[in-house]
Amino acid sequence: MIEGWRWYGGFDRIALSEIAQTGAASIVTALHEIPYGEIWPRRTIAETRARINAAGFEWSVVESLPVHERIKRGEGDLTELFANYRQSMANLAAEGIKVICYNFMPLLDWTRTDLKAPVKRGGTCLRFSVEKMAAFELFMIERPGAEAGYTTGNIAAAKSWFESSTPEDRDILVTAIMAGLPGAYDRYDVKGLQRALAPYEGLDRNALRQNYRRFLEEVMPTAEDLGLKFGVHPDDPPRDILGLPRIVSNAQDIDWILSAVDSPANGLTLCSGSLGANPENDVPAIARQFADKVHFAHLRNVAKDPDGSFEEAAHLAGDTNMATLVSELLTEERRRKASGRADCEIIFRPDHGHELLDDAQRGAHPGYPLIGRMRGLAELRGIIAGLNHASGRA
C-alpha cells in the first residue's frame, strides 16, 4: 500500500517539508483556489506537480475535482459544465494524475457539530452530535419538516440544549456546520444557509440518483479514454442532512453506483470513517465486496453512540476493526498483482486525526492536524507491516 497525505496547497498551514518527515510518499491534493465549474489549466496543474515532486513526493490522486452543484441539482443547460469537467480531466491525465476522488453530496461536503470535542487524556477531535444537529435544524434555521428526521428523544434533547445554550454556543455550532461547505468561497450565517437550501427544495433521492447517473454517463467514457480511475467518496455522515438526500451511504448505494455505468473507471474511495458512522455498515465486508473497484482509501475510525452521534476515534481505537479492514485491502493488492493488473498498489491516506500536543496552535484545516495524522499514519504503517510479516511478505 502507498502512503498518501492530504495537502491543501497554498491554503495549508503544514508545509511539504514537514509532511516529508512523516514518511508519506504521495501527496493528495487539488487546485483549491479554482472556483467550481471552471477548467483546471494544465499549466497550473504542472506547476503544482512540479512543486510536489521537488519536495520528494509523487502526485497521483486528486482530491477532489469537484462536481458543480447545478449538476447535482440537474439544473439548466449543463453542457458547458460537463465540457469543462472533461477538459480538466484531460489536463490532469496529461500531467500524470491517475485517480480522481470526488463526492456527490449536495451542498455540504461533510458535516460536524463540534470541531474541538475533548478527547480522553488530552487533545480534541471532530464530533457529530444528533442532539446539536437537531437543535440547529429545528430551532435555529427552523427547517420545515425537520422533525421527521429525528426521534422524540432526539427532539427533546435538542430543545433542552437549545434552551440552555448561549449565543456563543450557537455561533460555535454554526461555524462547525459551515466548515463542511466545500472550497474557500461560500460561508453562511443562519439566514444565508436558509437561502442556500432553497434551490434544493424538491430534490429527492430518486432525482439525485438520476442526476448522478447522468454525471457518470457524461464523464466515465472520457475517463476510460484517458486512463483515469474515479473513486466516489461516501456520504459524511451517511444520513440525510438539512433535508438533503444522501445516496452514497451503504453497500446497496455503492452497488447501484458501480452498476449505473459499468466501467473500469467507475470506482470507490473507501472511506472507513464515513461508512463506519452508519451502524448498519460492516466496513471490512464492504471492502471485500467492492475490492476490485477500490481506487483509493481513507483510513480512519469512529466511535458511535446509541442515539446516532459519533466522534472520530484514534485510528486503531474505534468501532471498525482496522486490522481486518487493512487485511482485506492487502488481499486485494495480492490478487491484483497475481492477475498482472498495473495498479496493484492501493494509495491510502490517514484520514483526519486528533489535535494533539501543539497541533491546536497551527490552525490547520479541521480534522487535518500534523501530529494527530502522523500518529494515525504510524499506527496504520505498523498494522500493514505486521500483516505483511504474518503472511510472509515482510
Side-chain angles (χ1 to χ4, degrees):
M1 296 177 72
I2 299 172
E3 297 177 0
W5 187 277
R6 179 74 180 271
W7 180 59
Y8 285 90
F11 297 102
D12 209 316
R13 300 292 181 86
I14 300 169
L16 288 171
S17 59
E18 294 174 304
I19 297 170
Q21 296 175 56
T22 70
S26 183
I27 289 294
V28 177
T29 192
L31 303 187
H32 297 285
E33 68 276 16
I34 296 180
Y36 287 16
E38 294 187 8
I39 294 172
W40 287 15
R42 181 172 176 181
R43 178 178 177 179
T44 308
I45 296 168
E47 289 170 349
T48 302
R49 180 181 55 79
R51 183 179 175 189
I52 290 169
N53 291 164
F57 299 97
E58 294 297 321
W59 181 25
S60 298
V61 178
V62 162
E63 186 179 345
S64 60
L65 182 58
V67 180
H68 197 280
E69 292 301 308
R70 282 181 50 210
I71 292 175
K72 297 175 188 176
R73 296 194 298 263
E75 177 185 288
D77 183 358
L78 302 175
T79 304
E80 183 178 2
L81 285 176
F82 282 124
N84 287 357
Y85 200 93
R86 288 190 291 265
Q87 185 60 58
S88 294
M89 291 166 57
N91 292 346
L92 287 165
E95 291 300 324
I97 299 300
K98 303 297 184 184
V99 178
I100 292 176
C101 172
Y102 72 104
N103 74 72
F104 215 79
M105 290 180 266
L107 190 61
L108 294 169
D109 274 5
W110 53 273
T111 305
R112 298 291 185 273
T113 59
D114 299 86
L115 302 182
K116 293 184 179 291
V119 175
K120 186 179 179 180
R121 301 187 70 181
T124 64
C125 70
L126 303 182
R127 178 173 174 79
F128 178 85
S129 162
V130 170
E131 170 187 302
K132 290 184 180 180
M133 195 68 209
F136 180 76
E137 291 206 64
L138 293 166
F139 307 116
M140 292 176 65
I141 66 171
E142 299 178 328
R143 183 176 69 80
E147 63 278 358
Y150 298 98
T151 67
T152 302
N154 293 155
I155 294 171
K159 185 177 182 182
S160 176
W161 181 88
F162 179 74
E163 290 177 344
S164 64
S165 65
T166 66
E168 182 182 9
D169 292 332
R170 298 171 197 171
D171 287 344
I172 291 171
L173 178 58
V174 172
T175 298
I177 292 171
M178 290 305 102
L181 283 164
Y185 305 100
D186 295 325
R187 293 294 181 269
Y188 306 115
D189 56 15
V190 168
K191 294 295 184 183
L193 182 59
Q194 290 171 328
R195 290 191 295 270
L197 286 169
Y200 298 86
E201 187 174 350
L203 182 71
D204 62 15
R205 177 181 177 84
N206 289 333
L208 186 60
R209 268 191 167 185
Q210 294 314 306
N211 296 339
Y212 191 5
R213 185 193 297 273
R214 181 181 174 187
F215 168 77
L216 294 173
E217 291 171 344
E218 291 276 356
V219 305
M220 287 305 153
T222 302
E224 284 192 51
D225 292 342
L226 296 170
L228 288 168
K229 297 292 179 65
F230 271 64
V232 62
H233 189 286
D235 301 327
D236 188 10
R239 56 176 290 160
D240 292 358
I241 292 290
L242 300 174
L244 302 171
R246 296 294 181 92
I247 58 171
V248 195
S249 295
N250 52 43
Q252 292 76 24
D253 289 342
I254 295 167
D255 186 61
W256 181 90
I257 292 160
L258 300 182
S259 300
V261 173
D262 185 12
S263 166
N266 185 17
L268 173 67
T269 292
L270 182 78
C271 180
S272 58
S274 297
L275 291 169
N278 183 340
E280 297 180 0
N281 286 339
D282 180 334
V283 182
I286 290 174
R288 187 183 318 119
Q289 181 178 353
F290 302 108
D292 65 327
K293 287 298 191 79
V294 173
H295 296 155
F296 180 40
H298 292 174
L299 299 182
R300 63 178 171 88
N301 227 320
V302 296
K304 298 184 288 292
D305 296 334
D307 71 348
S309 302
F310 64 88
E311 69 181 33
E312 300 193 354
H315 285 69
L316 306 187
D319 295 337
T320 295
N321 186 318
M322 195 60 69
T324 302
L325 174 59
V326 172
S327 179
E328 294 291 349
L329 298 177
L330 290 172
T331 297
E332 172 59 16
E333 283 193 335
R334 292 193 291 271
R335 187 197 67 79
R336 293 181 186 185
K337 185 175 182 180
S339 68
R341 184 167 159 177
D343 60 338
C344 58
E345 288 188 286
I346 296 170
I347 299 176
F348 78 96
R349 64 174 179 83
D351 193 20
H352 298 185
H354 292 170
E355 280 196 338
L356 304 174
L357 302 174
D358 66 353
D359 275 333
Q361 280 69 59
R362 284 181 172 270
H365 287 70
Y368 290 92
L370 176 60
I371 297 171
R373 280 189 291 164
M374 185 166 65
R375 172 188 170 181
L377 179 58
E379 291 177 342
L380 294 167
R381 185 181 293 144
I383 288 285
I384 293 166
L387 289 169
N388 282 330
H389 177 78
S391 66
R393 293 176 172 82

